[in-house]
Amino acid sequence: MFYKPKNAMYSKVSRRRFLELGGSAASMLGVGSLAVGMNSVIMRSPVQAQSSDEAKWKQYAGSKLTFLSENTPPSFAIRENIQAFYEKTGIEVEILTDDLPVVQQKAGIDLRSGKADYVLNYVQDKPIGAPFADFYVDLSSMFGDDTLPQDPAGYGDDAWFENFLSACGRFYEEGKIIALPYDCAVACTFYRQDLFEQYSKDFEAEYGYRLEYTADTTWKQVLDFAKFFKALREGGADVPYGYAQHQGSFAWTTQLDIQRMLFSHGQWIDFPIDDKLGSKEPGPTNWGDEQSVLMLQKFKELGDASHPDNLANGTLELNTVYQSGNIAMQVQYHEFAASVENPETSVAAGGKTAYAPCPKGDPEWNLTGGPNVNGTNCGIGGIGINANASEDLQRAAYLFAIWSTSEQIQYDVLAGLGGTPTRKSVLDREDVKAAQSRPTTMPNALTFDAVYNYGIKDPHFVLGPKIPEANEYYSILALETQRMLAGETTPEETASAMKEQFDFLNDV
């Protein structure tokens, strides 16, 4: 047996794990702390319910936590200002950032192996939350705990923008909350208003209606816009292509592109499940029905009218193509407005770009009989806690989770680095209200009306498919769709191939 000092916190350390920790663990045991996982250290000063708020924040002073995150604006901004959290809590936090697929892989290995090398995780709604939901702490067990500090605004649905808590926090059951909304990337339309105005008369002469974009603009009209600009360019005019899709190697955003278009026509979804909670047994897919075949046909037509590098343009590449003036329109995630509005890197800055909701379903393309909506989807990144960690390590991590999702930090990230808030109260600030109109010091705020006041609200918002095999699903869909766009298969063959693979994936 080894000596357990008074304030050392751990639930169980096997002999093998103790030997793996080596001399550093032994030396730390002598000063009242224990290394847990790869880089985490936990210390505790016990507090009572009647303790001061300051004492509750300081109860784990001397500890260290590791946060694995996608390389998103909040994580960069918080890493630059992490001293503020240290001063408040005495806890060091190491923030490790990488591309989302790498984060998903590292988090999955850590969670499923029973380790807690990364105590805090960036829980992107479907790529990470859907397959690993069972491995995260139920944060609702800490809400209201009077031995922990609490956010005065609370953590209920009303504290966040509509649907956000469900997107990243709820999986397969109503009551459990595995993550708090940390950042968001919601789809909306970016378009070159200057070019639309310049060529409106020419467009109207050919198509019989004005070249303009509103909340009632349909996907059929977007196809008209793309064909019009492509024809102008091929005729020798010095204009960009009209459109481009999210293709490239990031399968998730390829799926989101198609999902938006399908959902807008009658609220079509991939599986007959609750779109907010998802399902571990989604059953037979809806792919292969007449609506999905028609949408693939139209998606192919749109791809054919798009920028010639369409198949190579992932999320970042697509935005670069838009910034460089090579497309006149993109459906993009609203966090990219900050880069689009940067005059040093973007020819689309300076009032040339307007922001609006995603395109609406077109009656001529809707075979479902359901409503036509502005199908809007997203990536809502939550912050969750690895359930493999000890109880006190979880409690220390909770301090960081509630601090990093507080109104003040959300505001600081928006004002300092162009983040995208998840707490509604951030938009109640007078300077944020003012920033939603030009001139602005917070470029992402130019998208807030299209996103927060419109796109994220029902009936326009679509989340799914939240299924355990989400990442396999995205890979299949992207591969088969890109084969179709390359001319290797027909829309009918593509829909049939996806149905066969999705049903096999889900044991149907």
Side-chain angles (χ1 to χ4, degrees), residues 21 121 143 148 156 180 188 190 217 232 235 282 306 325 345 360 371 472:
L21 290 168
N121 284 187
F143 298 161
L148 290 166
L180 295 178
C188 66
F190 295 38
T217 296
L232 279 181
S306 290
T345 59
K360 194 172 186 177
E472 293 85 350

Side-chain angles (χ1 to χ4, degrees), residues 381-412:
I383 183 165
I385 300 171
N386 188 329
N388 298 325
S390 70
E391 179 181 354
D392 278 279
L393 198 56
Q394 293 175 17
R395 286 167 56 89
Y398 180 77
L399 300 181
F400 182 78
I402 64 171
W403 177 82
S404 62
T405 58
S406 66
E407 178 191 327
Q408 184 60 50
I409 299 303
Q410 295 262 302
Y411 170 79
D412 290 346

